[in-house]
Amino acid sequence: MKSKYRMIIILMLLGLLTLSLSVFGEGNKSISLPEEAKVPQINYWITSQTYDPVRYEIGLMVAEKWKELGFDVKTTCLEWATMSSKGMKAHEHDVFMIQWGGKAERIDPFHWLYTLHHSSEAASGKYNVAGYENPEYDKLAEGFVTNTDLEKRREYAFKMQEILAHDVPQPPIVHRVVTHAYNKDDFENVVMAMGEGLNSFWNWINITPKGDRKILKYGYVGDIKLLNPLTTKTGADIYILNIIYDPLIRIDVNGKPQPWAAESYKQIDERTVEVVLRDNMKFHDGTPVTVDDVKYTFDLAKEVKAPYYSSKIKYLKEVKIVDNKTLRFVLVEPFAPFISNGLALVGILPKHIWEKQYIEKGAEGLLNWDNQPPIGSGPFKFGYWRPNEELKLVKNDEHFNPPKIEGLVRIPYAQAYGVVQGLKAKEIDGSGWSLLPLQIEEVKDARHLSLGRIDDQGYYMLHYNLRVAPFDDINIRRALTYAIPKKKIVQLIFEDLAVPAYSVVAPVNKFWHNPGIEKVGDNIEKAKSILEESGFRWDIDGHIYYPENY
Amino acid sequence: MNGFLKYFYKRLLQIILTMFILITLLFFMFRVVPGDPLSMYIDSGLDEEATEVLLQQYGLDKPIPEQYIIYLKKVLRGDFGISFQYGKPAINVIGGRFWNTFILMIASLFIAFFTGIVGGVFLAWKRETLIDSLGTTIVLIVRSAPVFWTGMIFLSLFAFRLKILPLGGMNTPGTYFPNQLVKFFSIDFLRHLILPALTAGIHSAATPLLVMRTSILEVIKEDFVELARAKGIKENQILFKHVMRNALLPTVTVFAVQAGLAIGGIVLVETVFRWPGMGREIVLAVAARDYPVAQTAFFLIGTMTVIFNLIADILYAYIDPRVVWN
Amino acid sequence: MFRIEIIKNTIRFLKQDKLRMIGISIFLFFLVIAIFAVYIAPYNPMEMNFDGDGNLKRLQPPSKDHLLGTTYMGRDVFSQMIIGSRIALLVGILSAFCVVFIGTNIGLISGYYGGKIDNIIMRIVDIIYGIPFLPFALILVAILGPGVKNIIIAIVLITWRNTARVIRSQVLTLKTRTFIEAAKVSGAGDLRIIYKYIAPNVMPLSIVYISLTMGSAIMTEVSLSFLGYGDPLLPSWGKILYSCYSSQAMFKAWWWMVPPGIAIILLVLSGFLMGRGLEEIANPKLRIR
């Protein structure tokens, strides 16, 4: 072998060796206290930067703080799908973070208070990911769900938030500030609603044109995918379906249910809700909306096990037609959230169309049906959909509460930057896509644009696993949670487009939120003192050990 | 020529085998994965029951060997399954993207071909001058630069600073075209096409350009060129008629090979420019664990690769008959 | 004294081939940086930097404190570049060796034995040629999990195809040479012939391929990182470009976008030049694919 070749080879091998050592080698630290008493390593799962840069950065910041307290923290990047199946489903985690969306159906805090924390939901596959089991809490939660008196429910909700703020099984970290932009020169009466901002139904109904232009164009990243109300899973699609189809009840901007397609509703007993249907409603093809359509909708959803609807009507036993204007919904057991999470989220389907499709296609075919054109009874009619170009909805003049605009055009953009350019160039009049700080700076320059802001009802939540050490110890949990630099996270990672979160029910949800709870966070000194007072020890390298006789 | 035909048929058979293995490979890779696709939708409010229903619908609850047989039968019918994200047959989702990638590929190969040939000729003509050294260096640099980085540079320069070309995507949002054909020939479309095609094109042109240059330099040294010179034929004529023809063949071969490789690189170009093609779709589908769409896209991309390789092999066989009688 | 002669000869020989010298110099430069990276980098690449008032130093242009400026999250670009060189070289060199080792052996065996073995192996190689590299690597890494190890696996699984083919055709030509015939006649076993007589003669070609593969391996790692599937916790040049692109700050921060590209160009180029790639690649008769 020629010597010059030999030299290259030797160089490369040497380099390889040195590199491997430097990249993969890790030093070992010395210990001076009994090994068994050492607090076990915390394996913190974070998402990759690609999937969610926010959770990635928060993870790194939080891990740093925990290391300051002396904990041995290892950050591991997992693909979301893996994290979801191992963490969300199998509960094999130590700690990881989820972003819970602030959807309309979560305004009644059933999801936050019961589904996430009741002990019955701690089994594999369910949402009490932390495995929190507190009998006192369970009793309150049960009362919250079965008692149909709103004030009593509120009392329970307040008490539950107090307990959770103290026990911190799954502390909330921050609420994003949803920031949307719109053209204030041409449109007014913008309504920013909880959880949905500009995308909300109330905005589209109320927004009013100022000038001659009566059709509003709005931009969003990505096109809609599917307009089948039984199946669709994506938020963007649901926003559209929400204005084409009318439900019996709608949640207003304050979070309270209002009759909509229903003229009125009444709680007859703890299991039954009676609803009187509004007169003179018609589907977009002219057919009148009757109680048969309403019953059919719920029966069909149950029968084909429609993924999107079925979770909302889980507790529904049957729908009875009382007369040609009245229906009764009978539940399997008392379930107070049925009205805001069930009746308010199921759009009425036209029986004459869906029945035919069901007979032709069967259940599976029906769930895969693209439902074009979607015929509902809502204030907007379907105009046309040119995939990847635009979607148009037209005002339904015959509706009992028609919108102020003549039409709505939804334009999909390839990326958020494009949306911003579109707003500035007046290509679009608004965007329901929450803007990032860099984008907001650009929008501020444009005179015709205005920003609408609302705190998110959803939040980033850190899920501890109470089934494993060290999260099974309440003092450790409280200390770790106190160490979380929520304010710095808001400032550095969100550039102040967020607010620290303390209660599992967001402050923006004024009716249900308890403002008087303990605010755990941003206090590493308090974290240290909690640990010290409970007897935890540290060795000379600063590693934390359990108290004697633990 | 008989041997050639035999070779061709053998290759065809091989292609079919390759496609089969590709499909099988894909199937198993995706199924043996930790995490399932529904986990992408868990926080959309799907409870356990709905999850079970969807699992059943997508056939994810049957044992794997059984899933495979069902899968094979469907693929042979052209049915690649229903996209998890879009609810439409995967073939429809990709179908919508196929032409976008195809056009981008053709445009970039066009640019690559001409740049390669003209550039190679030019540098060969200017051989041993400063221009040759400079030119070759530039070509080497382009070849060594990540294609997506070149794209980012172009975007910064032409779209952001000079503002003469759009920032990406395939057309200006909100514009409306009566049909596909009009769309593809519109100025708007072409404006969006230039940068990505240029980026991919010059990257693919680098190797063929160098090959062209070297080939010309070699052919020029050969005897028949000396003969032509002695005969008194003009230098230009020599260049074009005799030299080029001979130098062209190896270049075209290398070019076909390059084209086969460029298909993979299209993924990067489509991502940077947000071009709605198969490459970008496969990246999105993989992230969303949308098995059917990712499989279909991969399969189509694989098919294109195989076809280009076949063309390359035929061209090779043409130059070098020894290859055939392996 | 004998040693000095060799060194002198080596240097003289190298100087004759200027391009290769340039390639080696560039490579050495990066190698040294990578080995001493921890000592050279002024900051922790993942650390957010604050100024005197406690404000985050976001997207700052190059300055005395930050030679290549800062990123969107206030991280020092220069440090990220320095530490990132480690991954580039690690992936590049390790993949190159693995690929060429596997490819050369397969090429040797396939070429020497011929017949059925050769047929089967070449069929497999052909099939592997049908697999589009980047989409495959993407899927594999996404499935196995983003990380240096899996990226190297993805690269090695496919890239050996080039080396195998070329080595094989070299072996075919060598097989007919007289000294091989002689060895056979004198009763040397197959393995001995392959590894004692043939292998040393294909080595130069293998080494060329080590250099070339290093370049393409680095390119693959960078591409995968750009698509978001690079190692999530180790800084790499591809990841720097990924962050730059996805934060949408690339138009405003040339200091963030340009350096990684230049570094990649230089390192890939060096691999190319070291392998005298210019001539070998440009010569179609060598059938390099």
Side-chain angles (χ1 to χ4, degrees), chain B:
Chain B
M1 253 329 191
N2 205 3
F4 183 79
L5 266 177
K6 245 175 51 183
Y7 177 74
F8 182 73
Y9 286 137
K10 221 168 48 159
R11 284 295 272 129
L12 215 60
L13 218 70
Q14 207 173 68
I15 288 179
I16 298 179
L17 184 64
T18 310
M19 303 307 321
F20 180 75
I21 295 200
L22 263 179
I23 298 176
T24 310
L25 192 71
L26 263 180
F27 175 82
F28 281 109
M29 280 201 315
F30 271 106
R31 290 306 195 267
V32 184
V33 159
D36 62 9
L38 286 182
S39 53
M40 292 306 291
Y41 300 106
I42 276 205
D43 50 10
S44 264
L46 278 183
D47 61 17
E48 209 175 300
E49 267 183 49
T51 313
E52 284 303 315
V53 170
L54 278 173
L55 267 172
Q56 246 180 43
Q57 255 174 40
Y58 290 127
L60 292 168
D61 57 337
K62 302 201 178 72
I64 292 202
E66 205 183 311
Q67 280 188 42
Y68 180 62
I69 305 289
I70 298 178
Y71 167 77
L72 269 184
K73 278 199 231 161
K74 283 187 167 184
V75 164
L76 286 172
R77 275 183 296 148
D79 175 7
F80 282 90
I82 308 269
S83 158
F84 296 162
Q85 297 176 85
Y86 297 92
K88 288 198 288 226
I91 213 46
N92 290 5
V93 173
I94 295 296
R97 312 272 188 254
F98 181 86
W99 293 112
N100 301 338
T101 301
F102 187 75
I103 297 208
L104 181 59
M105 279 279 321
I106 297 289
S108 70
L109 288 177
F110 208 64
I111 293 180
F113 190 69
F114 278 105
T115 315
I117 297 196
V118 171
V121 170
F122 179 69
L123 288 185
W125 182 35
K126 293 279 182 195
R127 62 187 172 284
E128 279 151 45
T129 65
L130 185 64
I131 295 185
D132 182 23
S133 309
L134 219 63
T136 315
T137 313
I138 294 179
V139 173
L140 280 178
I141 289 180
V142 170
R143 190 192 182 280
S144 309
V147 67
F148 59 86
W149 184 77
T150 324
M152 281 163 79
I153 299 276
F154 280 172
L155 270 179
S156 285
L157 198 57
F158 294 108
F160 187 72
R161 279 197 198 274
L162 297 177
K163 296 204 203 301
I164 50 177
L165 288 170
L167 275 166
M170 201 172 70
N171 44 29
T172 314
T175 36
Y176 171 57
F177 300 101
N179 62 43
Q180 291 277 68
L181 211 60
V182 174
K183 182 169 88 170
F184 286 137
F185 280 100
S186 67
I187 300 282
D188 187 55
F189 178 78
L190 290 172
R191 282 184 76 227
H192 282 86
L193 182 64
I194 297 180
L195 281 181
L198 195 66
T199 311
I202 61 173
H203 191 77
S204 300
T207 307
L209 196 156
L210 293 174
V211 169
M212 185 70 182
R213 177 185 169 278
T214 313
S215 293
I216 294 181
L217 291 180
E218 288 210 3
V219 171
I220 282 184
K221 294 193 214 133
E222 295 204 7
D223 294 335
F224 76 91
V225 177
E226 284 300 315
L227 193 62
R229 276 217 191 94
K231 273 198 195 165
I233 303 183
K234 286 208 289 201
E235 192 74 18
N236 277 355
Q237 271 231 326
I238 298 182
L239 194 68
F240 281 111
K241 269 182 91 179
H242 299 106
V243 178
M244 283 268 296
R245 253 205 343 229
N246 287 285
L248 213 56
L249 211 42
T251 311
V252 171
T253 319
V254 168
F255 180 72
V257 169
Q258 199 64 37
L261 296 171
I263 291 173
I266 279 282
V267 172
L268 296 166
V269 173
E270 285 186 7
T271 304
V272 172
F273 289 94
R274 307 280 181 164
W275 187 264
M278 289 195 303
R280 182 151 175 265
E281 200 61 46
I282 199 178
V283 176
L284 295 174
V286 167
R289 306 278 172 150
D290 188 347
Y291 300 167
V293 171
Q295 271 169 355
T296 321
F298 188 87
F299 178 76
L300 286 174
I301 294 178
T303 311
M304 265 204 222
T305 310
V306 162
I307 292 178
F308 273 107
N309 284 342
L310 179 65
I311 298 178
D313 275 342
I314 293 180
L315 283 170
Y316 261 166
Y318 196 67
I319 326 172
D320 195 354
R322 276 185 309 162
V323 168
V324 179
W325 323 113
N326 242 333

Side-chain angles (χ1 to χ4, degrees), chain C residues 98-113:
Chain C
C98 292
V99 162
V100 175
F101 179 77
I102 296 176
T104 305
N105 279 302
I106 293 188
L108 282 171
I109 293 175
S110 188
Y112 181 78
Y113 285 111

Side-chain angles (χ1 to χ4, degrees), chain A residues 1-9 11-16 18-20 22-24 46-51 53 56-57 60-61 75-79 82 415-418 436-439 441-442 488 491-495, chain C residues 6 10 13-14 20 24 27-28 31 34-35 46 48 50 54-56 58-59 72-73 75 86-87 89-90 93-94 97 142 146 148 203-204 207 210-211 214 227-229 232-234 239 242-243 245 247-249 251-252 274:
Chain A
M1 213 195 312
K2 306 220 178 100
S3 48
K4 64 180 172 219
Y5 294 121
R6 204 180 286 171
M7 196 174 96
I8 298 181
I9 300 283
L11 269 176
M12 283 186 158
L13 280 172
L14 250 174
L16 192 60
T18 333
L19 281 173
S20 319
S22 61
V23 173
F24 293 117
I46 57 179
T47 64
S48 67
Q49 214 177 343
T50 319
Y51 181 75
Y56 174 81
E57 299 287 355
L60 295 178
M61 276 182 85
T75 45
T76 313
C77 266
L78 287 185
E79 273 283 300
T82 316
Q415 44 170 322
Y417 196 80
L436 297 174
L438 275 177
Q439 295 157 349
E441 269 182 47
E442 292 218 33
K488 270 260 173 284
Q491 187 199 358
L492 298 176
I493 299 177
F494 289 89
E495 289 184 68
Chain C
I6 293 185
T10 314
F13 199 95
L14 286 173
R20 187 181 258 131
I24 293 184
F27 175 71
L28 272 179
L31 191 62
I35 293 176
M46 294 306 286
M48 299 197 264
F50 300 89
N55 296 320
L56 187 65
R58 244 190 246 281
L59 289 179
Y72 186 66
M73 289 307 289
R75 299 185 166 117
R86 301 196 308 182
I87 294 294
L89 281 166
L90 189 68
I93 299 177
L94 196 56
F97 272 102
V148 172
M203 272 309 196
I207 292 174
I210 291 184
S211 301
M214 181 183 85
L227 290 176
Y229 292 95
L233 293 170
L234 296 168
K239 194 151 156 254
Y242 167 75
S243 300
Y245 180 77
S247 72
Q248 305 262 320
F251 300 132
K252 313 194 178 176
M274 282 201 290

